[in-house]
Amino acid sequence: KQWYQRRVRGRTGQSEETLLQCAYSEVLSSQTRAQEDIADVLDQGKHVTVTIIKRPQEALGFALISSGPGSIIPTVIVSSIRPASPAYKTELLNVGNQLLEINGRSLVGLSYEAIISYIRSLLPSTKIEMQVVPGSPVLVIELIRPDLKYPLGFSVKDGHITTLVRGSIGERAGVRVGHRIIAINGESTVTLDHDSIAGILLSETGKLLLKTMPSQIFNLMLGLEEPEYL
């Protein structure tokens, strides 16, 4: 190895470690991130106005979760809608929609707690108008790893993404902490155990297509959690 490093330095003036770092930089530069989220937010033509009409103090009938770390637009996402509720009757609000504005106030950049507090303050109202971006709770992520020596840059526990390394392949691709992996390369991972999912992620090279959704929405769909309706 020392002979190889001297030979590399003699030809390029760079060490093996430096060359590996350069190669990893090339891998990262080839890893593009889908920009649909930011494009949809900037394009007001894709926004939908949802008007909820209700009785004073009547619940709106939808639950929210934070968009979470790694999201391009920090806001909240509709995680559940109660049947027959005022929100349900609009026929415009769906699970996965991003909320941008309520009654003229932007929600982008506010903490989850601040948004929930603000919405609860509006419950005495009989009319609430929201600007939302339609979307699916399922996120499609394409990872590119030409060789196993390049780590994906995120950790998984029982199918849930728990940590993400800044500047990694995963972050560049749009992997999000707090999401549950539901499919890899078109194959469902819902019934797979931790070792099986980890084994696939550790052994695959080339293009790796993940489908993920927020863990809270995943748990709600399976009945593992109860929604907290507003």
Side-chain angles (χ1 to χ4, degrees):
K1 182 176 180 179
Q2 290 178 347
W3 169 83
Y4 172 76
Q5 287 178 330
R6 287 197 298 270
R7 187 175 180 183
V8 168
R9 289 194 186 98
R11 288 185 174 183
T12 67
Q14 295 177 305
S15 68
E16 181 183 16
E17 181 180 359
T18 300
L19 289 175
L20 182 58
Q21 290 174 345
C22 291
Y24 190 58
S25 296
E26 291 178 1
V27 172
L28 290 178
S29 65
S30 69
Q31 183 69 69
T32 57
R33 178 173 178 171
Q35 296 296 317
E36 287 84 356
D37 286 354
I38 189 74
D40 288 348
V41 170
L42 295 176
D43 185 357
Q44 294 189 358
K46 293 185 177 181
H47 297 179
V48 174
T49 299
V50 178
T51 302
I52 296 178
I53 304 298
K54 65 183 193 65
R55 299 187 302 273
Q57 300 298 341
E58 183 182 11
L60 296 167
F62 62 83
L64 298 173
I65 61 171
S66 170
S67 56
S71 58
I72 297 176
I73 304 301
T75 180
V76 288
I77 298 172
V78 178
S79 59
S80 183
I81 301 174
R82 187 169 57 202
S85 67
Y88 179 87
K89 292 175 181 177
T90 67
E91 299 184 352
L92 293 174
L93 201 63
N94 296 289
V95 171
N97 287 175
Q98 289 181 304
L99 269 60
L100 300 181
E101 183 181 294
I102 295 182
N103 284 4
R105 180 180 177 181
S106 174
L107 306 180
V108 176
L110 298 180
S111 68
Y112 172 79
E113 292 76 16
I115 293 173
I116 296 301
S117 177
Y118 173 61
I119 294 176
R120 284 176 174 160
S121 73
L122 300 175
L123 290 181
S125 304
T126 57
K127 180 180 178 180
I128 293 177
E129 189 170 280
M130 306 186 296
Q131 291 292 321
V132 308
V133 177
S136 167
V138 177
L139 187 65
V140 179
I141 303 166
E142 185 179 277
L143 300 159
I144 301 175
R145 178 170 60 181
D147 193 283
L148 291 177
K149 64 185 177 183
Y150 304 119
L152 294 175
F154 60 91
S155 300
V156 174
K157 182 177 181 181
D158 298 325
H160 299 272
I161 299 167
T162 56
T163 61
L164 179 64
V165 177
R166 181 169 296 180
S168 65
I169 291 174
E171 187 195 40
R172 290 290 294 269
V175 170
R176 299 182 187 179
V177 172
H179 271 226
R180 212 288 186 181
I181 299 173
I182 59 173
I184 301 177
N185 290 339
E187 298 293 330
S188 174
T189 59
V190 172
T191 60
L192 296 184
D193 60 20
H194 171 79
D195 289 342
S196 298
I197 295 174
I200 296 172
L201 295 174
L202 289 171
S203 63
E204 292 287 332
T205 58
K207 288 187 179 181
L208 195 63
L209 194 67
L210 304 185
K211 287 187 178 181
T212 73
M213 66 165 50
S215 293
Q216 286 178 274
I217 294 181
F218 177 82
N219 291 338
L220 288 171
M221 291 178 65
L222 293 185
L224 302 176
E225 294 183 18
E226 292 294 326
E228 296 184 10
Y229 291 113
L230 293 166

